[in-house]
Structure formats: structure tokens, C-alpha cells
Amino acid sequence: MTNENGKTKYYVLMEELKQSILSGEIKPGEKLPSENELSARYQISRHTVRKALSILINEGYIEAEHGRGTFCSQRMGHMKNSRNIAVVTTYISDYIFPRLIQGMDKVMTANGYSIILKNTANSRTKEERVLEDILTKDIEGLIIEPSKSQIFCRHMNLYAMLDQYEIPYVFIQGVYPQMMDRPHILMDDCRGGYLVTKHLLDLGHSKILGIFKADDFQGKERHKGYVKALQEAGLSYDPDMVVWFHTEDRKMKPAQMIEILLKQQVEMDAVVCYNDQIALEVIRSLQKNGKRVPEDISVTGYDNSVIAEGTVGLTTIAHPQEKLGEMAAELLLEKIRKVPEEKSRIPRLIQPELIVRGSTKDRNTENG
């Protein structure tokens, strides 16, 4: 049997129920009227009702629970056009993060989306809690900077739920080792580490200390570039000339290790630092211990933050900050719109640029 528009009765019922779910009139987890109630309301047979419900079950809009009835699927909380995007970064209010978030917000606002902003303080436990919270919200996509991205992700089940709910997500700045195939936008940090180290080598430095973060993707890659530059210059890699630190000891260990190494009279003529924040602490520690920067020891940073631009005058690697945020937002929009990978316009790897300032000094002129 068909109605006057030529549509079968079960199809009309299916469309009406689907519209009620998508509009939020029937909410996730809410019980639908029984087959008898729907049969009486629409004046159709129970067999016709069952055909309509069967389509909705197959499409994931509703779930049948034996002995209890039929319920709107919980995943429908993520099917509505909420125009909300979740953004999760390790930090929010300082360093490069305000401009990074600004870039995302600019693109998303221009495309009619709002941002729900969260931060993890680079804690895996907090990231887990944030993702659990996000999964209860009506969001259409997620941009996330993973916490301690050099360590295997232990809450893969939450990312699997995002996949199940068909919520696209994009990693920025790092990506978990077991998720390299997921959409991401990264700096070429290996290249960046190589550029700052090669710059120091070209200036005649040969005893270069490296300070890197052990628990994130960027630290591993920047260290790799440092090693590559040393090997290229014919210098052997000395693990004793590398200081590794973790998120928890980032505010103490780098500066204190400088003091310890100076007391041990370890020879160094330059320091490659994981980022500008670490470089500032290293410079303070060197100066406190009677060393001049760059006259005695050259220092490099990474990220070209306001710290580098300030009184320090730090040689560093340019981080696109706002541009990276824009690119991440544009990539997520592509994923939401189901743009095929081969038609994507967004590069996945951003090439670094060296910015030379006064914290490094040419040793060649002294030796010549």
C-alpha cells in the first residue's frame, strides 16, 4: 500500500520517526512507542510498523532490547547538526597556545561552527576524562593535541567510540605511535632539530648539549634531527651530552642539569633546547653560574614564541602557530564534508624555518 505521494506506509513511518530523532524530539536513550501504539496511531498493521523499525535498527538510529522495547540509539547524540567542534590542547592560556586556538576559531567561526575548548595539562588521565566528557556532548568533530604522545595511548577504546559515532578527529603537533594512520598535521620536527644543530655546527660549535622532552612525539623527532646533524658533521653521538626530561620535571630538571654539568666541568659551547621555554630557563641557569650567552655558550630554542621575540633574542625555529590552527580546522572540515584524501588541499607536514637572533655566536671568527 502507498500513500498519495507514492510512498509505502512503512517508509512514511520510518521517515517520520527518523525526523523526530534527528530534530531531538526523540532523545538518545528514550523509549519509542510500542508496535501496538504505532500501529493504532498511524492506522497501519504491526507488520508494517516492524518493517519501518527494522530499517531504523539497520541504520543505527534505534536499538531493540529484548523484553524492554525499542530505544533511540545513544549515538544519536552525535548525529544532530550541532555545529559544535571540540578542541583539546595540552595547555590553553600561555606560550604558543592562544594563537594556535585563535587560528582554529577563525576558520570554524567563518564556517558557522562554535568551539568547545578543553585542556589536558599534558596528562593522559585528564585526556581520558576529557574524551569521556566530549563523548556525551553533541559535537561534529574534534581537533586534539595528544598528551604524552611518545607513550602508547592507553584509552584507544575512546577513540574507537569516536570512530563508531563517526565523529572525525584530527591530531595536531603529535600523534600516538599506534595511530600514525589517523588524520594529523605536524611540524617536521626532525628537520627543525637538524636546522638548529647544523646552524651551531656551521658557527664552529662542536660540543653541543641537547635537551629534549622524552614523553612526546616532538621531543623524539627534534632529538633525531640533532643526531643527524652531528653525524653529518662527522661528530660521534655522545648520550652523556643529551638531557632528557618529562612533563612532570620540565620546570626543574633542564636548568638544574645545566648547573650539575657545569660543576662537573663538562665541556659545552652550545645548547640545543627542546623549546623556547626551556631555552629561557637554560640561559638563566648559565648566567647564574657565571656563563655569558652567547659569548661563552650559544643557546637555541624552538617555536618562535613571544619569549624568543622578547629580551632574550633567541635563535629558534618558527612555529606557524595561528596558521597551524587554521590548517587543522580546514582539515577537520574536509573530514566532516567527507572530502576524499586524494582531493585534500591541506599539507600534513609543515616545513620549519630557522630564525637567527643574538643567542648564538660565530666561533669561526674567534678561531680564525
Side-chain angles (χ1 to χ4, degrees), residues 10-24:
Y10 75 83
Y11 190 84
V12 171
L13 173 59
M14 182 274 293
E15 279 195 323
E16 283 199 26
L17 289 173
K18 185 191 283 189
Q19 189 51 45
S20 295
I21 290 167
L22 290 173
S23 68

Side-chain angles (χ1 to χ4, degrees), residues 80-353:
K80 289 179 282 183
N81 296 321
S82 66
R83 312 298 285 177
N84 287 329
I85 298 295
V87 171
V88 180
T89 53
T90 49
Y91 303 96
I92 288 178
S93 59
D94 62 353
Y95 199 48
I96 61 171
F97 295 98
R99 289 182 63 188
L100 184 69
I101 293 161
Q102 195 178 330
M104 296 175 200
D105 189 50
K106 178 180 169 185
V107 170
M108 286 305 179
T109 300
N111 283 274
Y113 287 87
S114 299
I115 281 180
I116 298 170
L117 196 55
K118 304 275 185 181
N119 85 93
T120 63
N122 209 30
S123 157
R124 293 194 298 161
T125 302
K126 194 168 179 194
E127 178 177 303
E128 195 169 356
R129 287 202 300 266
V130 164
L131 286 174
E132 285 171 348
D133 180 51
I134 281 170
L135 282 161
T136 68
K137 303 257 190 306
D138 296 340
I139 62 164
E140 292 189 41
L142 165 69
I143 298 171
I144 182 162
E145 180 189 18
S147 301
K148 299 187 177 175
S149 52
Q150 189 47 31
I151 302 172
F152 258 47
C153 178
R154 64 186 181 193
H155 43 264
M156 289 292 289
N157 60 311
L158 298 175
Y159 287 103
M161 286 178 73
L162 288 167
D163 292 332
Q164 181 190 334
Y165 293 155
E166 297 179 2
I167 300 172
Y169 51 93
V170 170
F171 287 112
I172 55 165
Q173 308 220 90
V175 59
Y176 290 115
Q178 73 267 52
M179 299 181 80
M180 292 296 294
D181 60 335
R182 301 305 203 281
H184 57 262
I185 293 184
L186 309 172
M187 285 279 290
D188 188 343
D189 284 306
C190 178
R191 176 75 181 158
Y194 171 84
L195 287 175
V196 284
T197 310
K198 186 176 187 305
H199 170 68
L200 292 169
L201 290 163
D202 289 346
L203 293 177
H205 298 278
S206 59
K207 300 176 181 67
I208 304 171
L209 183 76
I211 302 180
F212 303 101
K213 196 161 183 281
D215 56 17
D216 72 20
F217 181 88
Q218 299 99 303
K220 179 200 76 168
E221 290 297 304
R222 291 169 196 179
H223 171 259
K224 197 189 290 183
Y226 162 85
V227 174
K228 184 184 175 190
L230 291 177
Q231 289 175 338
E232 218 176 69
L235 297 175
S236 57
Y237 173 72
D238 181 357
D240 290 336
M241 286 294 281
V242 173
V243 173
W244 290 100
F245 67 95
H246 292 77
T247 299
E248 289 77 11
D249 57 18
R250 72 188 185 281
K251 291 181 178 173
M252 293 172 55
K253 186 174 179 182
Q256 288 187 6
M257 281 304 299
I258 289 290
E259 286 197 34
I260 290 167
L261 292 170
L262 289 174
K263 281 174 185 168
Q264 292 174 348
Q265 297 187 325
V266 171
E267 281 190 78
M268 67 178 93
D269 55 20
V271 186
V272 169
C273 297
Y274 166 77
N275 68 10
D276 296 344
Q277 286 177 320
I278 299 301
L280 180 59
E281 294 304 315
V282 164
I283 288 169
R284 285 173 177 163
S285 184
L286 287 169
Q287 290 171 339
K288 179 181 158 190
N289 286 274
K291 297 293 182 182
R292 298 168 303 161
V293 177
E295 292 82 0
D296 300 323
I297 298 176
S298 290
V299 177
T300 64
Y302 202 108
D303 289 332
N304 195 30
S305 65
V306 288
I307 294 169
E309 295 166 356
T311 53
V312 178
L314 193 60
T315 292
T316 187
I317 291 291
H319 187 296
Q321 299 180 29
E322 194 169 331
K323 181 65 180 170
L324 176 59
E326 290 174 12
M327 289 167 67
E330 284 163 2
L331 179 57
L332 184 61
L333 288 173
E334 283 189 352
K335 296 302 172 188
I336 290 170
R337 293 163 184 163
K338 302 190 186 305
V339 173
E341 188 66 27
E342 62 273 14
K343 291 190 177 175
S344 174
R345 300 177 297 104
I346 316 299
R348 302 300 192 265
L349 200 61
I350 300 168
Q351 290 306 311
E353 176 194 346

Side-chain angles (χ1 to χ4, degrees), residues 21 26-30 32 56-57 59-64 70-79 164-165:
I21 290 167
I26 298 175
K27 294 178 172 50
E30 187 178 322
L32 272 66
L56 293 173
I57 289 170
E59 291 185 0
Y61 287 91
I62 62 174
E63 296 165 351
T70 312
F71 297 82
C72 177
S73 173
Q74 290 289 352
R75 72 187 282 260
M76 287 307 109
H78 308 283
M79 294 289 283
Q164 181 190 334
Y165 293 155

